[in-house]
Amino acid sequence: MGHMPAEPINPPPRLLMGPGPINADPRVLRAMSAQLVGQYDPAMTAYMNETMELYRGVFRTSNEATLLVDGTSRAGIEAALVSLLEPGDIVLVPIFGRFGHLLREIAERAQADVRVIEREWGTVFTPGEIEAAIIEHKPKVLAVVHGDTSTTVAQPLDELGAICQRHGVLLYSDTTASLAGNTFETDEWGLDVVTAGLQKCLGGPSGSAPITMSPAAVEVINSRKSIEAGIRSEGDAVSAHPIRSNYFDLSQILDYWGPKRLNHHTEATSMLYGARECARLLVKEGIPNAVERHRLHGGAMVAGLDAMGFRLFGDQSVRMNNVVGVYIPDGIDGDAARAAMLNDFGIEIGTSFGPLHGKVWRIGVMGYNTRRDAVLTTLATLEQVLRAGGVPITAGSGVGAAVDFYG
Amino acid sequence: MGHMPAEPINPPPRLLMGPGPINADPRVLRAMSAQLVGQYDPAMTAYMNETMELYRGVFRTSNEATLLVDGTSRAGIEAALVSLLEPGDIVLVPIFGRFGHLLREIAERAQADVRVIEREWGTVFTPGEIEAAIIEHKPKVLAVVHGDTSTTVAQPLDELGAICQRHGVLLYSDTTASLAGNTFETDEWGLDVVTAGLQKCLGGPSGSAPITMSPAAVEVINSRKSIEAGIRSEGDAVSAHPIRSNYFDLSQILDYWGPKRLNHHTEATSMLYGARECARLLVKEGIPNAVERHRLHGGAMVAGLDAMGFRLFGDQSVRMNNVVGVYIPDGIDGDAARAAMLNDFGIEIGTSFGPLHGKVWRIGVMGYNTRRDAVLTTLATLEQVLRAGGVPITAGSGVGAAVDFYG
């Protein structure tokens, strides 16, 4: 118990142009500053219902079972996997980056029988490769990351729903890094469960995980339902093979968000206010417009980086709109240059994990930071830092190319 | 995909005098409205370190391992139990209300061998009863709720640490409802793991779960450590009996909050800002002063309710300072009267769970609402509602008795 004279929160101003978290939209922070209401206040349950409807718009689905898991994006992933998978169930995880490894890890801890196929970071699978693995492993669930921020590329999913349906497999995808910045169609593509987070293209802070579940997924999940002992009535469900977590028991969380309003956790009201505002702004803009916004500003960033001489990382044909990987130029100390960006200009760009660490920077253009001024300022300051590090760059090349891209 | 014209968040003004959540301190909401910084920004890691130190002050401990779990209070409970308990481990849960049932449920889902002792709601156990059960069941962990909001009473814990130490048992307690409103001494009482939430006496919104762990608890938890596959280096820990959750793996969360800064989830920055401010205000006030504040205003509320003729629920000698249960007067429809309080006066009081539902209201005086005006307004309006329902009450009796209590 020290004697620290802690001061009120007063963070330095930062322009966050890494792979996320990024700056929250000020409108989202304002929504979160609203005072609380009770858990079952009619105003609160109305906000919960509106949040469900708004996220149907964001996920592009008519799934009734669309709600928030109270935790960061990986809380949503774990809720999906532990609610779908029983010990011994076979799950197939195509791994093409760090977050594929995370899906594997979470499924292993749920004691599922995890089968993986792996690809080099920066590449993705063909639908045929995935179908072949489904035929070989006969999984109950195919669990696949959409956009893996660790590699900047997104696995095309548009053909996987039909493949899964053909083989009687449930399709789960983690869209934390990609949703609202890249085309994603839950219903049209045949996804069964989709999870996300707020801290990337949705323009909010980390801490709430939107999720949507198809009727088929809900049936599997509800078959494991056990009503909590402390609030159980006679005749209430008690499963012989319950979900191995209370906090992530989606059957209970569904009863809390549904008409029964059966108490589970105490909803994280401020995070719900924020999550609702993220979705409200996106639905108002129109999801296709939001995707186009990310394509435009992400494209301008790539044009600028390319003109400055950066070599791009990964298969560019499947790169997400909202993040690009670039090889760190020879002779540049990646961490020192990132520190100079932060200390001299207040701008954060991202490092990388695993095999890319020390070799690749990741630069994000997403959510509130999909702005011309954010893109141009990042390029202008990066030019200064690289030149100071001895990299020969034509003055103004990055900004000029981005301006040209905007046209 | 409907066509709802969703409006910005604009909740009705409410005075929340139920068992929680209660109104957040406006200073906490202001802290949460601050803009984000990057996950490894020196400003962010400094805030994380300060938050750890501040919660050592709140928990009254010198435990290095003091941090936040990103979720509601039950996320903290589940993190504690799944990180401590392996399948088959014996855990003893004394149950005296709904949240004891929750500890049992969470431990059962973790496949622990759960032994329970039960008491009637509104009462608590003697230390001797708990020691006898420890001797009978020989648990690895004693998991006990401190204050169970469902019954308003708190299990005295001051003798349990010594008992547990004598029998080689780890002592875990959930203090969501009680912390900072009632005396609680992690180190002096010999607690090994303690969890909490923000939405009661801490004066914040639900969504972040402070936790502290003794060196003995950390040793047990770290013996199960496995570094996440996607960021594992050669020689890194891989356990043969890993924690059965990734999100709640406290050994990984410790590495994220510790000097290694090993990536786990993306910290919920806005919730951290809020949690830090809750603790900062309390540490500045002094924890004993905060407890006294709850005793004073909670006592005034009880004096007022008593003078109005309410019969109090539960063993008053062990009632929490911050919440009181009262029997709903004969002839009053509990839910209709609560609705009148909300609709006519904007004041929320609480209903009850399980055996107390329909019989007992719970009225809270905690956190930001430990105020003379909040207490007196609640008593004044409750008088109106009861009189309208036909209950004979001496005009001004409740407010008068509370004013007298304040002296």
Side-chain angles (χ1 to χ4, degrees):
Chain A
M1 286 175 263
H3 299 277
M4 181 179 51
E7 296 292 327
I9 288 284
N10 184 28
R14 302 294 198 208
L15 179 61
L16 302 178
M17 303 299 283
I22 53 100
N23 297 89
D25 191 312
R27 292 169 291 186
V28 173
L29 295 177
R30 279 201 293 275
M32 293 179 67
S33 76
Q35 188 47 274
L36 309 182
V37 296
Q39 206 179 169
Y40 292 107
D41 195 294
M44 182 66 184
T45 50
Y47 284 147
M48 291 174 79
N49 289 340
E50 289 167 15
T51 301
M52 296 175 87
E53 180 63 12
L54 286 165
Y55 276 95
R56 288 181 196 115
V58 174
F59 281 121
R60 313 272 290 173
T61 182
S62 58
N63 288 338
E64 177 67 25
T66 303
L67 45 79
L68 306 176
V69 174
D70 283 9
T72 72
S73 38
R74 74 170 59 194
I77 298 172
E78 188 157 322
L81 293 179
V82 303
S83 293
L84 288 172
L85 295 170
E86 300 188 29
D89 279 346
I90 298 173
V91 55
L92 174 64
V93 183
I95 297 177
F96 57 100
R98 178 189 167 193
F99 291 96
H101 283 290
L102 179 64
L103 300 193
R104 172 171 70 174
E105 152 133 1
I106 291 172
E108 279 174 356
R109 292 193 182 213
Q111 300 189 289
D113 179 351
V114 186
R115 316 290 175 91
V116 304
I117 50 177
E118 291 200 51
R119 287 285 309 239
E120 195 187 347
W121 288 30
T123 71
V124 295
F125 297 88
T126 64
E129 288 170 327
I130 291 175
E131 183 165 23
I134 285 175
I135 290 166
E136 182 186 345
H137 296 291
K138 300 184 177 43
K140 173 183 181 182
V141 175
L142 171 64
V144 57
V145 171
H146 184 217
D148 197 314
T149 15
S150 69
T151 74
T152 77
V153 303
Q155 173 64 47
L157 299 179
D158 53 319
E159 297 181 36
L160 297 191
I163 290 171
C164 283
Q165 200 148 33
R166 211 150 53 224
H167 298 283
V169 173
L170 290 167
L171 175 54
Y172 161 69
S173 185
D174 164 37
T175 66
T176 303
S178 59
L179 191 69
N182 304 270
T183 299
F184 186 85
E185 299 284 347
T186 296
D187 286 358
E188 196 181 314
W189 294 354
L191 276 287
D192 287 293
V193 181
V194 185
T195 61
L198 305 187
Q199 72 273 21
K200 314 248 184 196
C201 303
L202 270 64
S206 171
S208 181
I211 183 171
T212 188
M213 296 159 259
S214 71
V218 169
E219 199 183 315
V220 168
I221 291 165
N222 275 345
S223 74
R224 306 176 67 190
K225 186 190 293 191
S226 278
I227 305 291
E228 208 173 290
I231 55 173
R232 193 181 294 154
S233 305
E234 234 177 70
D236 271 348
V238 180
S239 172
H241 48 133
I243 292 162
R244 293 279 186 87
S245 165
N246 169 279
Y247 195 73
F248 293 133
D249 184 331
L250 287 170
S251 73
Q252 293 193 354
I253 297 173
L254 278 162
D255 279 347
Y256 177 49
W257 285 74
K260 286 187 201 164
R261 296 278 172 216
L262 211 50
N263 190 251
H264 182 252
H265 59 283
T266 297
E267 182 58 17
T269 311
S270 301
M271 284 308 309
L272 175 131
Y273 287 174
R276 179 183 176 284
E277 184 68 4
C278 290
R280 194 184 72 84
L281 295 172
L282 283 165
V283 167
K284 199 174 150 206
E285 176 182 19
I287 300 298
N289 296 332
V291 171
E292 173 56 23
R293 168 166 53 84
H294 283 85
R295 196 203 57 74
L296 174 68
H297 295 288
M301 180 67 88
V302 172
L305 293 168
D306 185 50
M308 286 167 76
F310 277 106
R311 196 154 59 90
L312 305 180
F313 170 78
D315 180 349
Q316 294 301 301
S317 70
V318 289
R319 188 178 49 73
M320 284 186 277
N321 289 324
N322 48 296
V323 59
V324 56
V326 292
Y327 286 96
I328 300 168
D330 288 341
I332 290 284
D333 174 334
D335 287 343
R338 287 176 59 247
M341 285 293 287
L342 193 71
N343 295 328
D344 291 344
F345 305 106
I347 299 177
E348 183 181 273
I349 62 171
T351 181
S352 295
F353 296 114
L356 308 184
H357 184 70
K359 295 181 195 158
V360 167
W361 283 330
R362 291 173 302 153
I363 300 179
V365 184
M366 54 182 116
Y368 185 63
N369 293 346
T370 50
R371 304 192 318 265
R372 192 173 183 273
D373 65 288
V375 170
L376 299 184
T377 304
T378 303
L379 291 167
T381 53
L382 197 51
E383 179 185 317
Q384 300 295 321
V385 169
L386 292 184
R387 185 176 301 115
V391 178
I393 295 182
T394 307
S397 55
V399 170
V403 167
D404 286 349
F405 184 90
Y406 282 119
Chain B
M1 284 176 266
H3 299 280
M4 180 182 51
E7 295 292 327
I9 288 285
N10 185 29
R14 301 293 198 212
L15 178 61
L16 302 177
M17 303 299 283
I22 53 101
N23 297 88
D25 191 312
R27 292 169 292 186
V28 173
L29 295 176
R30 279 202 293 277
M32 292 179 68
S33 74
Q35 187 48 272
L36 310 182
V37 295
Q39 202 179 354
Y40 292 107
D41 194 296
M44 181 66 182
T45 50
Y47 284 147
M48 292 172 78
N49 289 341
E50 289 166 13
T51 300
M52 297 174 86
E53 180 63 12
L54 287 164
Y55 276 96
R56 288 181 198 116
V58 175
F59 281 121
R60 312 273 289 176
T61 182
S62 59
N63 287 338
E64 177 66 27
T66 303
L67 44 81
L68 306 175
V69 173
D70 283 11
T72 72
S73 38
R74 75 169 60 194
I77 298 171
E78 187 156 322
L81 293 179
V82 303
S83 293
L84 287 173
L85 295 170
E86 301 188 28
D89 279 347
I90 298 173
V91 56
L92 174 65
V93 183
I95 297 178
F96 56 99
R98 178 189 169 196
F99 291 96
H101 283 291
L102 179 63
L103 300 193
R104 173 171 73 174
E105 152 133 358
I106 292 173
E108 279 173 356
R109 292 192 182 214
Q111 300 189 289
D113 180 351
V114 186
R115 314 290 175 90
V116 304
I117 50 178
E118 291 200 52
R119 287 285 310 240
E120 196 189 344
W121 289 30
T123 70
V124 297
F125 297 89
T126 64
E129 288 170 327
I130 292 175
E131 183 165 22
I134 285 175
I135 290 166
E136 182 186 345
H137 295 292
K138 300 185 178 41
K140 174 183 182 182
V141 174
L142 170 65
V144 56
V145 171
H146 183 216
D148 197 312
T149 14
S150 69
T151 74
T152 77
V153 303
Q155 171 64 47
L157 300 178
D158 52 319
E159 297 181 34
L160 298 190
I163 291 172
C164 283
Q165 200 150 31
R166 212 150 51 226
H167 299 283
V169 172
L170 290 168
L171 176 53
Y172 160 69
S173 185
D174 165 36
T175 66
T176 303
S178 59
L179 192 68
N182 303 270
T183 299
F184 186 85
E185 299 285 347
T186 297
D187 286 359
E188 198 181 312
W189 293 355
L191 276 288
D192 287 296
V193 180
V194 185
T195 60
L198 305 187
Q199 72 272 20
K200 313 247 184 194
C201 303
L202 271 61
S206 171
S208 180
I211 184 172
T212 188
M213 295 159 259
S214 71
V218 169
E219 198 183 317
V220 167
I221 292 164
N222 275 344
S223 74
R224 306 176 67 191
K225 185 189 293 188
S226 277
I227 305 292
E228 208 173 290
I231 55 171
R232 192 181 296 154
S233 304
E234 235 179 70
D236 271 346
V238 181
S239 171
H241 48 135
I243 292 162
R244 292 278 186 86
S245 164
N246 170 279
Y247 194 71
F248 293 133
D249 183 331
L250 287 170
S251 72
Q252 291 192 355
I253 296 172
L254 278 163
D255 279 347
Y256 177 48
W257 284 75
K260 286 186 197 162
R261 294 281 170 217
L262 213 51
N263 190 252
H264 182 251
H265 61 283
T266 297
E267 182 58 17
T269 310
S270 301
M271 284 307 309
L272 175 130
Y273 287 175
R276 180 184 176 283
E277 184 67 4
C278 290
R280 193 184 74 83
L281 295 173
L282 284 165
V283 167
K284 201 175 147 203
E285 177 182 16
I287 299 301
N289 297 331
V291 171
E292 173 56 23
R293 169 166 51 88
H294 284 83
R295 195 203 58 74
L296 174 69
H297 296 287
M301 179 68 87
V302 172
L305 294 167
D306 185 50
M308 287 168 75
F310 277 106
R311 195 154 59 89
L312 306 181
F313 170 78
D315 180 349
Q316 295 300 301
S317 70
V318 289
R319 188 179 48 74
M320 284 188 277
N321 289 323
N322 48 294
V323 60
V324 57
V326 292
Y327 286 96
I328 301 167
D330 287 344
I332 290 284
D333 175 334
D335 287 344
R338 288 176 58 247
M341 284 292 287
L342 192 71
N343 295 329
D344 291 343
F345 304 105
I347 298 176
E348 182 181 275
I349 62 170
T351 181
S352 294
F353 296 114
L356 309 184
H357 184 72
K359 294 182 197 155
V360 167
W361 284 331
R362 290 174 302 153
I363 300 180
V365 184
M366 54 182 117
Y368 185 64
N369 292 345
T370 49
R371 300 192 319 266
R372 192 171 183 275
D373 65 288
V375 170
L376 299 184
T377 305
T378 302
L379 291 168
T381 53
L382 196 51
E383 178 184 321
Q384 300 296 323
V385 169
L386 292 185
R387 185 175 300 115
V391 178
I393 296 182
T394 307
S397 55
V399 170
V403 167
D404 286 347
F405 184 90
Y406 282 120

